[in-house]
Amino acid sequence: MDMLQTSAFWIGLVKIIWINIILSGDNAVVIALAARSLQPHQQKMAVFWGSGAAVVMRIALTVVAVELLALPYLQIVGGLLLLWIGMQLLGDEDEGEGEAKEHGSLMAAIRTILIADLVMSLDNVIAVAAAAKGSMTLLVLGLAISIPLVIFGSTLMIKLMERFPVIVVLGAALIGWVGGETIASDAVFVPFLEGRHWLVYAAAAIGAVVVVGLGKFMQSRSGKSAEAG
């Protein structure tokens, strides 16, 4: 309890909360996209369980994040996975009905949230761990406080997506941007990127275009299949 009386503890806590406020934006977008097609009561469940589990997973990742980021090809795989998730979230159409379908959709939404957050959290947890400076208590407390921030952001994004559908496209583009950036940041490309950091932004932009383009294509095909059925 003595550490609660030190200024270093409170400064570190404020840093972690601020970092999570900044970094929770893309996570909130993923959660909102994954949950937007669910029933209102299911949206709340997906947001709550998805956000809570994502934060717990982020705490566990903190221990091994630095080592994982040094592994070649890991971020390439993770980035490609993010691109696929972005396309799926943009291209998916609601099909089927009934309780079994609703349950499956809820589980699918939570699974999508966890997979996407796993990939995006690798870089994020390094910043949080640096602010914690080895204090597990500070780390867990700071990330626990971030749960309501992510939940609030996700709930707000769902409402905005319902009112302004263009945000769905922008959200998918953001996931594509992060995916392209993740691929370009892989350890394999580090030597090649020296003095050419602009290539990371180019890869991010390509990722955004690919997700929106292919996602829209999948969406149109899904719509035609529904009409034919």
Side-chain angles (χ1 to χ4, degrees), residues 36 156-168:
R36 77 184 193 280
L156 177 61
M157 286 302 303
I158 290 174
K159 292 180 179 178
L160 288 175
M161 286 176 180
E162 291 174 351
R163 187 165 183 178
F164 306 104
V166 69
I167 295 179
V168 174

Side-chain angles (χ1 to χ4, degrees), residues 66-197:
V66 177
E67 288 76 12
L68 286 177
L69 286 175
L71 294 177
Y73 307 110
L74 179 65
Q75 287 185 268
I76 294 177
V77 174
L80 290 173
L81 188 58
L82 271 184
L83 296 181
W84 173 250
I85 288 174
M87 287 185 288
Q88 288 291 316
L89 290 177
L90 183 58
D92 278 352
E93 292 282 345
D94 283 334
E95 297 177 0
E97 55 186 19
E99 185 177 340
K101 169 63 178 175
E102 289 183 1
H103 179 73
S105 297
L106 176 60
M107 292 299 102
I110 294 176
R111 183 172 64 249
T112 298
I113 291 167
L114 291 179
I115 293 174
D117 193 79
L118 173 64
V119 177
M120 293 189 296
S121 291
L122 285 174
D123 285 325
N124 296 1
V125 293
I126 292 179
V128 174
K133 295 182 178 179
S135 172
M136 187 56 65
T137 301
L138 188 57
L139 178 64
V140 174
L141 182 59
L143 290 176
I145 294 174
S146 73
I147 294 177
L149 296 176
V150 177
I151 291 176
F152 173 77
S154 305
T155 304
L156 177 61
M157 286 302 303
I158 290 174
K159 292 180 179 178
L160 288 175
M161 286 176 180
E162 291 174 351
R163 187 165 183 178
F164 306 104
V166 69
I167 295 179
V168 174
V169 178
L170 295 177
L174 175 61
I175 296 175
W177 178 280
V178 175
E181 189 177 42
T182 300
I183 293 172
S185 300
D186 190 88
V188 172
F189 300 127
V190 170
F192 181 73
L193 291 175
E194 289 184 9
R196 304 185 184 93
H197 194 67

Side-chain angles (χ1 to χ4, degrees), residues 53-68:
V55 172
V56 171
M57 181 175 62
R58 192 172 296 183
I59 294 172
L61 271 176
T62 303
V63 182
V64 295
V66 177
E67 288 76 12
L68 286 177

